[in-house]
mmCIF file of all heavy atoms in Angstrom:
data_model
loop_
_atom_site.group_PDB
_atom_site.id
_atom_site.type_symbol
_atom_site.label_atom_id
_atom_site.label_comp_id
_atom_site.label_asym_id
_atom_site.label_seq_id
_atom_site.Cartn_x
_atom_site.Cartn_y
_atom_site.Cartn_z
ATOM 1 N N VAL A 162 0.741 56.169 -99.815
ATOM 2 C CA VAL A 162 -0.432 55.292 -99.897
ATOM 3 C C VAL A 162 -1.431 55.620 -98.791
ATOM 4 O O VAL A 162 -2.593 55.250 -98.869
ATOM 5 C CB VAL A 162 -0.045 53.792 -99.818
ATOM 6 C CG1 VAL A 162 0.861 53.438 -100.984
ATOM 7 C CG2 VAL A 162 0.580 53.399 -98.497
ATOM 8 N N SER A 184 -6.623 56.342 -96.513
ATOM 9 C CA SER A 184 -5.859 55.463 -97.414
ATOM 10 C C SER A 184 -6.301 55.706 -98.849
ATOM 11 O O SER A 184 -7.498 55.861 -99.116
ATOM 12 C CB SER A 184 -6.122 53.996 -97.076
ATOM 13 O OG SER A 184 -5.622 53.689 -95.803
ATOM 14 N N ARG A 185 -5.339 55.706 -99.757
ATOM 15 C CA ARG A 185 -5.681 55.879 -101.180
ATOM 16 C C ARG A 185 -6.189 54.555 -101.753
ATOM 17 O O ARG A 185 -5.715 53.485 -101.358
ATOM 18 C CB ARG A 185 -4.457 56.326 -101.969
ATOM 19 C CG ARG A 185 -3.913 57.668 -101.535
ATOM 20 C CD ARG A 185 -2.667 58.015 -102.340
ATOM 21 N NE ARG A 185 -2.982 58.170 -103.749
ATOM 22 C CZ ARG A 185 -2.105 58.029 -104.744
ATOM 23 N NH1 ARG A 185 -0.856 57.720 -104.478
ATOM 24 N NH2 ARG A 185 -2.463 58.195 -105.992
ATOM 25 N N PRO A 186 -7.091 54.609 -102.738
ATOM 26 C CA PRO A 186 -7.569 53.362 -103.350
ATOM 27 C C PRO A 186 -6.431 52.620 -104.062
ATOM 28 O O PRO A 186 -5.509 53.246 -104.619
ATOM 29 C CB PRO A 186 -8.604 53.835 -104.376
ATOM 30 C CG PRO A 186 -8.928 55.247 -104.007
ATOM 31 C CD PRO A 186 -7.735 55.807 -103.309
ATOM 32 N N VAL A 187 -6.509 51.306 -104.072
ATOM 33 C CA VAL A 187 -5.466 50.465 -104.679
ATOM 34 C C VAL A 187 -5.228 50.850 -106.144
ATOM 35 O O VAL A 187 -4.080 50.987 -106.598
ATOM 36 C CB VAL A 187 -5.877 48.972 -104.577
ATOM 37 C CG1 VAL A 187 -4.931 48.090 -105.383
ATOM 38 C CG2 VAL A 187 -5.932 48.538 -103.107
ATOM 39 N N ILE A 190 -2.964 53.778 -106.697
ATOM 40 C CA ILE A 190 -1.565 53.494 -106.351
ATOM 41 C C ILE A 190 -0.936 52.659 -107.471
ATOM 42 O O ILE A 190 0.192 52.910 -107.903
ATOM 43 C CB ILE A 190 -1.495 52.760 -104.995
ATOM 44 C CG1 ILE A 190 -2.044 53.665 -103.888
ATOM 45 C CG2 ILE A 190 -0.073 52.308 -104.677
ATOM 46 C CD1 ILE A 190 -2.376 52.951 -102.597
ATOM 47 N N ALA A 214 -1.186 50.825 -91.297
ATOM 48 C CA ALA A 214 -2.623 50.919 -91.002
ATOM 49 C C ALA A 214 -3.379 51.043 -92.324
ATOM 50 O O ALA A 214 -4.603 51.238 -92.329
ATOM 51 C CB ALA A 214 -2.894 52.130 -90.121
ATOM 52 N N TYR A 215 -2.662 50.916 -93.447
ATOM 53 C CA TYR A 215 -3.292 51.066 -94.768
ATOM 54 C C TYR A 215 -4.547 50.196 -94.873
ATOM 55 O O TYR A 215 -4.534 49.014 -94.525
ATOM 56 C CB TYR A 215 -2.296 50.671 -95.877
ATOM 57 C CG TYR A 215 -2.929 50.751 -97.249
ATOM 58 C CD1 TYR A 215 -3.035 51.976 -97.900
ATOM 59 C CD2 TYR A 215 -3.466 49.624 -97.870
ATOM 60 C CE1 TYR A 215 -3.659 52.070 -99.136
ATOM 61 C CE2 TYR A 215 -4.087 49.712 -99.103
ATOM 62 C CZ TYR A 215 -4.179 50.941 -99.726
ATOM 63 O OH TYR A 215 -4.809 51.036 -100.949
ATOM 64 N N HIS A 216 -5.636 50.792 -95.356
ATOM 65 C CA HIS A 216 -6.865 50.026 -95.578
ATOM 66 C C HIS A 216 -7.594 50.686 -96.747
ATOM 67 O O HIS A 216 -8.604 51.351 -96.572
ATOM 68 C CB HIS A 216 -7.720 49.965 -94.305
ATOM 69 C CG HIS A 216 -8.102 51.312 -93.762
ATOM 70 N ND1 HIS A 216 -7.256 52.064 -92.997
ATOM 71 C CD2 HIS A 216 -9.226 52.040 -93.903
ATOM 72 C CE1 HIS A 216 -7.853 53.212 -92.701
ATOM 73 N NE2 HIS A 216 -9.048 53.222 -93.242
ATOM 74 N N GLY A 217 -7.029 50.491 -97.946
ATOM 75 C CA GLY A 217 -7.569 51.165 -99.131
ATOM 76 C C GLY A 217 -8.583 50.288 -99.848
ATOM 77 O O GLY A 217 -8.553 49.065 -99.754
ATOM 78 N N GLU A 218 -9.455 50.979 -100.605
ATOM 79 C CA GLU A 218 -10.462 50.238 -101.367
ATOM 80 C C GLU A 218 -9.788 49.509 -102.523
ATOM 81 O O GLU A 218 -9.042 50.108 -103.306
ATOM 82 C CB GLU A 218 -11.497 51.231 -101.891
ATOM 83 C CG GLU A 218 -12.697 50.548 -102.481
ATOM 84 C CD GLU A 218 -13.575 51.513 -103.258
ATOM 85 O OE1 GLU A 218 -13.542 52.732 -102.959
ATOM 86 O OE2 GLU A 218 -14.262 51.036 -104.171
ATOM 87 N N GLY A 219 -10.049 48.203 -102.621
ATOM 88 C CA GLY A 219 -9.456 47.408 -103.700
ATOM 89 C C GLY A 219 -10.339 47.412 -104.924
ATOM 90 O O GLY A 219 -11.502 47.823 -104.854
ATOM 91 N N PRO A 220 -9.822 46.945 -106.061
ATOM 92 C CA PRO A 220 -10.624 46.907 -107.285
ATOM 93 C C PRO A 220 -11.820 45.954 -107.155
ATOM 94 O O PRO A 220 -12.780 46.066 -107.908
ATOM 95 C CB PRO A 220 -9.648 46.404 -108.354
ATOM 96 C CG PRO A 220 -8.386 46.071 -107.662
ATOM 97 C CD PRO A 220 -8.446 46.498 -106.245
ATOM 98 N N ASP A 221 -11.756 45.038 -106.194
ATOM 99 C CA ASP A 221 -12.869 44.106 -105.962
ATOM 100 C C ASP A 221 -13.920 44.687 -105.018
ATOM 101 O O ASP A 221 -14.853 43.996 -104.606
ATOM 102 C CB ASP A 221 -12.320 42.795 -105.382
ATOM 103 C CG ASP A 221 -11.443 43.027 -104.137
ATOM 104 O OD1 ASP A 221 -11.333 44.200 -103.696
ATOM 105 O OD2 ASP A 221 -10.868 42.065 -103.609
ATOM 106 N N ARG A 223 -13.493 45.434 -101.988
ATOM 107 C CA ARG A 223 -13.193 45.140 -100.572
ATOM 108 C C ARG A 223 -12.067 46.057 -100.084
ATOM 109 O O ARG A 223 -11.396 46.696 -100.888
ATOM 110 C CB ARG A 223 -12.710 43.694 -100.431
ATOM 111 C CG ARG A 223 -13.679 42.668 -100.915
ATOM 112 C CD ARG A 223 -12.927 41.369 -100.957
ATOM 113 N NE ARG A 223 -13.343 40.507 -99.887
ATOM 114 C CZ ARG A 223 -13.982 39.366 -100.095
ATOM 115 N NH1 ARG A 223 -14.257 38.963 -101.312
ATOM 116 N NH2 ARG A 223 -14.326 38.609 -99.098
ATOM 117 N N ILE A 224 -11.843 46.029 -98.768
ATOM 118 C CA ILE A 224 -10.752 46.817 -98.197
ATOM 119 C C ILE A 224 -9.487 45.959 -98.202
ATOM 120 O O ILE A 224 -9.503 44.821 -97.717
ATOM 121 C CB ILE A 224 -11.115 47.251 -96.761
ATOM 122 C CG1 ILE A 224 -12.321 48.204 -96.772
ATOM 123 C CG2 ILE A 224 -9.926 47.895 -96.054
ATOM 124 C CD1 ILE A 224 -12.114 49.493 -97.567
ATOM 125 N N TRP A 225 -8.418 46.522 -98.793
ATOM 126 C CA TRP A 225 -7.154 45.785 -98.872
ATOM 127 C C TRP A 225 -6.212 46.259 -97.756
ATOM 128 O O TRP A 225 -6.161 47.442 -97.436
ATOM 129 C CB TRP A 225 -6.472 46.035 -100.202
ATOM 130 C CG TRP A 225 -7.076 45.303 -101.365
ATOM 131 C CD1 TRP A 225 -8.381 44.936 -101.530
ATOM 132 C CD2 TRP A 225 -6.375 44.866 -102.536
ATOM 133 N NE1 TRP A 225 -8.540 44.306 -102.730
ATOM 134 C CE2 TRP A 225 -7.325 44.247 -103.376
ATOM 135 C CE3 TRP A 225 -5.053 44.946 -102.969
ATOM 136 C CZ2 TRP A 225 -6.990 43.704 -104.612
ATOM 137 C CZ3 TRP A 225 -4.711 44.421 -104.197
ATOM 138 C CH2 TRP A 225 -5.675 43.789 -105.000
ATOM 139 N N SER A 226 -5.436 45.304 -97.247
ATOM 140 C CA SER A 226 -4.404 45.633 -96.257
ATOM 141 C C SER A 226 -3.110 46.000 -96.978
ATOM 142 O O SER A 226 -2.995 45.813 -98.205
ATOM 143 C CB SER A 226 -4.146 44.415 -95.371
ATOM 144 O OG SER A 226 -3.605 43.395 -96.197
ATOM 145 N N LEU A 227 -2.116 46.439 -96.208
ATOM 146 C CA LEU A 227 -0.812 46.745 -96.816
ATOM 147 C C LEU A 227 -0.199 45.484 -97.434
ATOM 148 O O LEU A 227 0.390 45.541 -98.519
ATOM 149 C CB LEU A 227 0.136 47.330 -95.761
ATOM 150 C CG LEU A 227 1.506 47.737 -96.291
ATOM 151 C CD1 LEU A 227 1.407 48.898 -97.283
ATOM 152 C CD2 LEU A 227 2.449 48.123 -95.161
#
Side-chain angles (χ1 to χ4, degrees):
V162 299
S184 294
R185 297 178 64 204
V187 171
I190 297 164
Y215 177 81
H216 58 279
E218 190 192 335
D221 53 4
R223 301 169 107 114
I224 295 300
W225 284 30
S226 65
L227 182 65

